[in-house]
């Protein structure tokens, strides 16, 4: 799935999942540009960094207008702190939606003419939080649900020149995993809840993003690809008593 000579922009590509995506595209032969408000703590020699506040529409439009070419846009920038709805006002939650939904829309619109000319693609980085209750990150979950819907509509409106797909990402092990899951014991315990027995690595997400942007996915658009290790074991299975009754039925 070589992408030799293709120009790829990864928003928020300086750490964690974004850095893994940037590395995967660089290893596939692409010329990678990562953008974020702050430079990476550990510079990636395979990617060029450019500062950009993705919540500043004018700056976003200027950034994309200055690019000589663009083949792939990966809308990865996003995230949220743990915050219950009643612990903050609506304006604070709105900023989460701004970053996770409005910023990808702004970037996609700014990139559209570049992508249309080369029949390029957009890869949205979604989340399983968009498809299930997300207590403690409700605004984030709502934004990610909206992002999938946005991508499906974009895929229809922009066809056939631009393909648009979403990676629906589950739990990923990054340098900040301890903030969500605790130390190694916590990460190990959480990993046991995943059918494949581990959290994703950023490289897993990167490989999936490269696939969706490559010619191998030339007939895939408007799709949501689950990258979650099999999902979550249904809670009722652990509560059900049917397995304890099997001996009585023999």
């Amino acid at each position: 799935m070589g992408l030799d000579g293709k120009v790829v922009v990864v928003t928020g590509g300086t750490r964690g999942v974004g850095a893994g995506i940037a590395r995967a595209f660089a290893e596939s032969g692409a010329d990678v540009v990562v953008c974020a408000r702050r430079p990476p703590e550990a510079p990636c020699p395979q990617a060029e960094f450019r500062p950009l506040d993705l919540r500043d529409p004018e700056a976003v439009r200027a950034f994309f207008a200055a690019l000589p070419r663009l083949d792939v846009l990966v809308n990865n920038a996003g995230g949220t702190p743990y915050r219950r709805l009643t612990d903050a006002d609506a304006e604070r939650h709105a900023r989460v939606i701004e970053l996770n939904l409005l910023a990808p829309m702004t970037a996609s619109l700014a990139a559209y003419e570049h992508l249309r000319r080369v029949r390029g693609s957009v890869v949205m980085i979604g989340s399983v939080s968009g498809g299930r209750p997300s207590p403690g990150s409700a605004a984030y979950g709502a934004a990610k649900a909206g992002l999938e819907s946005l991508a499906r509509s974009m895929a229809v409106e922009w066809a056939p020149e631009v393909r648009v797909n979403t990676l629906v990402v589950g739990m990923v092990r990054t340098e900040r995993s301890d903030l969500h899951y605790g130390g190694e014991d916590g990460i190990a315990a959480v990993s046991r809840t995943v059918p494949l027995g581990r959290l994703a690595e950023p490289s897993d997400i990167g490989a999936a993003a490269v696939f969706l942007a490559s010619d191998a996915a030339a007939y895939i658009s408007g799709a949501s690809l689950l990258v979650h290790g099999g999902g979550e074991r249904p809670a009722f299975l652990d509560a059900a008593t049917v397995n304890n009754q099997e001996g009585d039925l023999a």
Side-chain angles (χ1 to χ4, degrees):
M1 293 185 290
L3 292 169
D4 292 348
K6 302 290 187 182
V7 177
V8 178
V9 166
V10 181
T11 68
T14 57
R15 65 185 181 192
V17 170
I21 292 171
R23 283 192 297 270
F25 274 101
E27 290 166 1
S28 74
D31 296 325
V32 180
V33 178
V34 299
C35 55
R37 285 187 299 166
R38 292 181 289 274
E41 294 178 4
C44 176
Q46 299 168 299
E48 177 187 354
F49 169 75
R50 297 188 188 178
L52 177 64
D53 184 349
L54 287 148
R55 288 180 289 198
D56 181 342
E58 288 302 322
V60 170
R61 286 189 279 268
F63 170 84
F64 283 100
L67 293 176
R69 177 188 175 105
L70 178 64
D71 297 272
V72 180
L73 168 63
V74 181
N75 280 310
N76 165 78
T80 184
Y82 180 88
R83 181 185 294 125
R84 290 189 175 273
L85 280 169
T86 54
D87 289 341
D89 56 27
E91 290 82 0
R92 180 68 62 87
H93 293 301
R95 288 184 61 80
V96 173
I97 295 173
E98 180 185 21
L99 176 62
N100 289 279
L101 177 57
L102 298 183
M105 181 170 65
T106 300
S108 298
L109 286 168
Y112 171 72
E113 287 299 331
H114 280 305
L115 298 171
R116 182 187 62 80
R117 283 193 292 269
V118 299
R119 299 182 77 90
S121 75
V122 177
V123 179
M124 303 290 197
I125 304 302
S127 170
V128 295
S129 294
R132 57 159 171 72
S134 190
S137 55
Y140 174 80
K144 291 300 188 179
L147 190 66
E148 274 193 79
S149 178
L150 174 66
R152 288 192 293 268
S153 296
M154 286 169 58
V156 175
E157 288 195 17
W158 293 3
E161 290 85 6
V162 181
R163 294 187 301 109
V164 186
N165 292 291
T166 304
L167 287 182
V168 182
V169 177
M171 296 180 289
V172 185
R173 179 164 187 158
T174 69
E175 62 268 27
R176 309 187 82 190
S177 292
D178 62 305
L179 298 179
H180 297 279
Y181 314 123
E184 288 301 319
D185 289 345
I187 292 171
V190 171
S191 296
R192 288 192 291 271
T193 71
V194 179
L196 288 187
R198 66 176 179 87
L199 305 187
E201 296 292 338
S203 59
D204 294 316
I205 313 305
V210 168
F211 164 69
L212 285 180
S214 74
D215 289 341
Y219 199 64
I220 300 176
S221 192
S224 295
L225 177 60
L226 290 164
V227 188
H228 61 1
E232 298 175 349
R233 177 180 171 84
F236 80 85
L237 291 176
D238 296 320
T241 60
V242 64
N243 291 331
N244 296 329
Q245 297 173 1
E246 288 178 353
D248 296 335
L249 298 174

